[in-house]
């Protein structure tokens, strides 16, 4: 009977340990989900809800795609400042994606079009500035993020939100 009691204690101990591991796994999963949700909120605040974002997007539409560096350099100082500030906001988002704080799908869904549009207009300006200043890091995360969004869209056809069906399994 002593042996049976020892086996019972081992069984209870093993079940308790397994339960604790399952509970810990569920807690880690919940924490990761909360972190991803907070990162998505940060992306929204950084890109979409930033000060003057509507004005900037309107301004962006006035700059032709593939604009030369000279086109942007010839804009007034305030407009160049707005372009620079938007690029810095995209830098933060790119850095967050690179470090896994938010995924590229979320960024693509929330701001992918605006980011691709921005880079198609600011690329030459950014490259020229890098050459002129010798600072290769200027808008590096913006360029990196644009590449990631383009790769993502090459694999996953973009479907506008209004045409999507609700799938809560994501």
């Amino acid at each position: 009977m002593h042996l049976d009691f020892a086996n019972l204690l081992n069984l209870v101990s093993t079940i308790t340990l397994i339960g604790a591991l399952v509970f810990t796994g569920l807690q880690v999963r919940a924490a990761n989900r909360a972190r991803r949700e907070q990162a998505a909120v940060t992306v929204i605040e950084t890109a979409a809800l930033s000060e003057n974002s509507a004005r900037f997007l309107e301004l962006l539409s006035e700059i032709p795609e593939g604009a030369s560096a000279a086109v942007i350099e010839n804009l007034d100082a305030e407009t160049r400042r707005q372009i620079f500030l938007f690029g810095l906001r995209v830098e933060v988002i790119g850095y967050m994606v690179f470090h896994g704080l938010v995924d590229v799908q979320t960024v693509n869904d929330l701001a992918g079009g605006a980011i691709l549009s921005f880079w198609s207009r600011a690329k030459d300006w950014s490259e020229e500035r890098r050459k002129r200043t010798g600072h290769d890091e200027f808008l590096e995360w913006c360029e990196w993020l644009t590449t990631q969004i383009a790769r993502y869209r090459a694999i996953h056809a973009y479907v506008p939100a209004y045409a999507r069906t609700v799938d809560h399994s994501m």
Side-chain angles (χ1 to χ4, degrees):
M1 191 166 231
H2 179 66
L3 187 57
D4 290 341
F5 184 67
N7 284 338
L8 180 63
L9 286 177
N10 276 338
L11 180 62
V12 168
S13 178
T14 301
I15 290 171
T16 302
L17 180 61
I18 291 171
L21 290 173
V22 168
F23 178 75
T24 301
L26 292 173
Q27 290 298 103
V28 167
R29 184 176 177 191
N32 285 339
R33 180 178 295 124
R35 181 182 53 80
R36 281 192 306 273
E37 290 170 358
Q38 182 57 44
V41 168
T42 301
V43 168
I44 292 168
E45 290 173 345
T46 302
L49 300 178
S50 61
E51 188 177 329
N52 299 322
S53 58
R55 181 170 125 28
F56 176 74
L57 292 175
E58 183 180 355
L59 167 97
L60 194 60
S61 69
E62 296 173 12
I63 300 170
E65 284 193 38
S68 69
V71 168
I72 293 177
E73 285 299 325
N74 289 331
L75 295 171
D76 64 89
E78 177 57 22
T79 301
R80 284 194 316 273
R81 187 178 83 74
Q82 290 297 321
I83 291 168
F84 183 76
L85 289 175
F86 187 82
L88 292 179
R89 288 191 288 271
V90 175
E91 285 281 280
V92 171
I93 296 169
Y95 185 80
M96 292 173 68
V97 171
F98 181 81
H99 287 285
L101 300 173
V102 66
D103 61 39
V104 73
Q105 177 185 353
T106 300
V107 173
N108 179 58
D109 288 349
L110 294 173
I115 292 169
L116 291 173
S117 179
F118 168 76
W119 190 248
S120 74
R121 289 156 171 82
K123 180 181 180 193
D124 287 349
W125 172 70
S126 175
E127 290 173 348
E128 180 61 35
R129 184 174 175 138
R130 289 174 188 168
K131 289 177 192 170
R132 188 178 72 242
T133 63
H135 294 279
D136 287 342
E137 68 273 7
F138 181 70
L139 297 184
E140 65 183 320
W141 292 111
C142 181
E143 182 173 359
W144 179 87
L145 181 59
T146 302
T147 301
Q148 302 313 304
I149 292 170
R151 285 181 184 161
Y152 181 85
R153 286 187 175 197
I155 297 168
H156 305 89
Y158 184 74
V159 178
Y162 60 80
R164 296 180 190 180
T165 58
V166 178
D167 181 6
H168 294 286
S169 65
M170 290 184 197

